[in-house]
Every structure is written in structure tokens, then in C-alpha cells.
Amino acid sequence: MKLVCSLILLLVTAQFGLAQTGTVRGKAFDATSQEPVPFANVLIAGTQLGGATDIDGNFEITGVQFGYVKVEVSAVGFERLISEDLYVTSSKTPFVDLAMVSQSTELGEIEIIVSPFRKTLESPGSLQTIGSEEIERTPGANRDLSRV
């Protein structure tokens, strides 16, 4: 009888030990236009827990350890943002609004260089390309292209 009670107590204690995680919810939006930021990367700072915002900028991260956590959000065209401390408990799911500041990025100069020589896609069978090095190395040609 004691063995059965001990086993039940052990199982109940293990169940409570595994259930020490909570959920964090929030919304990422542009600070100036108040428009949602879709598909932004959202992480619990210092962990691998995270996900992405949906089309409306909403996110939900489950499996967060109880206690104080910070939420980190990043997206292309916006500065990375880390939230204030959030307290995660089993009784209440914290919700955080993340106002992201847009960031302008100046691209460098692009230079396109075109080769002065054009190769045709379809070459006739009698056409052969001979480089200057091959002309120099051909014995008896004396730099005469017709003899090469």
C-alpha cells in the first residue's frame, strides 16, 4: 500500500514539475504608422524559444519558463527591439505591444561591366577560337594567323 501511495505521489510531483511553463502573447507594429509588422522574428531573449508574427503582427510563444523574461523582435527594415521584463506565470498570460522603429538602409553603388567581346550562342562547326598564347606557341607560324 505504501508503495502505491509513493508511486502516485511521485507521478503527481513529476506532473507538476513538467508543467512549469507558460505563454507570452503580443503584437509587433510600426511605431509611426501603427501598421502591423507581419512575419517578424520573435524570440524569448537568451533562449531558442520563438516564432514569427502572423499577417496581423500577432504572435504567441508557448513553453516559456516561469519568471521574468524579455521578448526580442527583429524584421527587415526595422531596428531590433527588446521589450521590458515580462512576468510569466500559470495564472495570467502576459501581452506585450512592440512598437518597432523603421530603419532606412542606404545601398552602395552597383557597377555593371560588360565585356567588349560577344560570343554567339550558336557557333558554326567551322568556327574555332584561337587565343594569342596559342598563336605565340605554334612552331613555324611566326605569328602568322593563316599558318596557325
Side-chain angles (χ1 to χ4, degrees):
M1 184 68 168
K2 285 186 174 183
L3 180 64
V4 173
C5 289
S6 298
L7 186 59
I8 290 174
L9 183 61
L10 180 66
L11 289 174
V12 170
T13 306
Q15 187 71 13
F16 282 120
L18 293 175
Q20 297 297 315
T21 61
T23 303
V24 174
R25 291 188 180 116
K27 183 172 185 169
F29 59 92
D30 189 337
T32 54
S33 68
Q34 303 298 313
E35 292 290 321
V37 178
F39 313 115
N41 297 318
V42 184
L43 289 171
I44 300 298
T47 69
Q48 297 295 319
L49 288 176
T53 59
D54 62 11
I55 195 78
D56 297 322
N58 298 314
F59 66 89
E60 179 176 322
I61 302 172
T62 58
V64 181
Q65 294 294 320
F66 288 161
Y68 288 99
V69 296
K70 291 184 180 189
V71 176
E72 183 178 333
V73 63
S74 62
V76 175
F78 292 92
E79 293 179 7
R80 189 177 70 133
L81 176 69
I82 298 176
S83 73
E84 71 279 352
D85 285 334
L86 302 171
Y87 189 62
V88 179
T89 64
S90 61
S91 61
K92 185 177 179 186
T93 300
F95 186 90
V96 60
D97 284 322
L98 300 168
M100 299 185 72
V101 177
S102 61
Q103 173 185 19
S104 62
T105 304
E106 187 174 321
L107 297 177
E109 182 178 311
I110 297 175
E111 186 176 336
I112 299 173
I113 301 172
V114 179
S115 174
F117 302 104
R118 179 183 297 177
K119 263 193 173 177
T120 58
L121 296 177
E122 238 178 79
S123 298
S126 63
L127 181 66
Q128 185 177 1
T129 305
I130 300 173
S132 61
E133 289 182 21
E134 190 173 349
I135 294 171
E136 291 285 329
R137 281 188 266 142
T138 305
N142 200 19
R143 296 186 189 155
D144 185 7
L145 186 59
S146 62
R147 290 185 183 183
V148 174

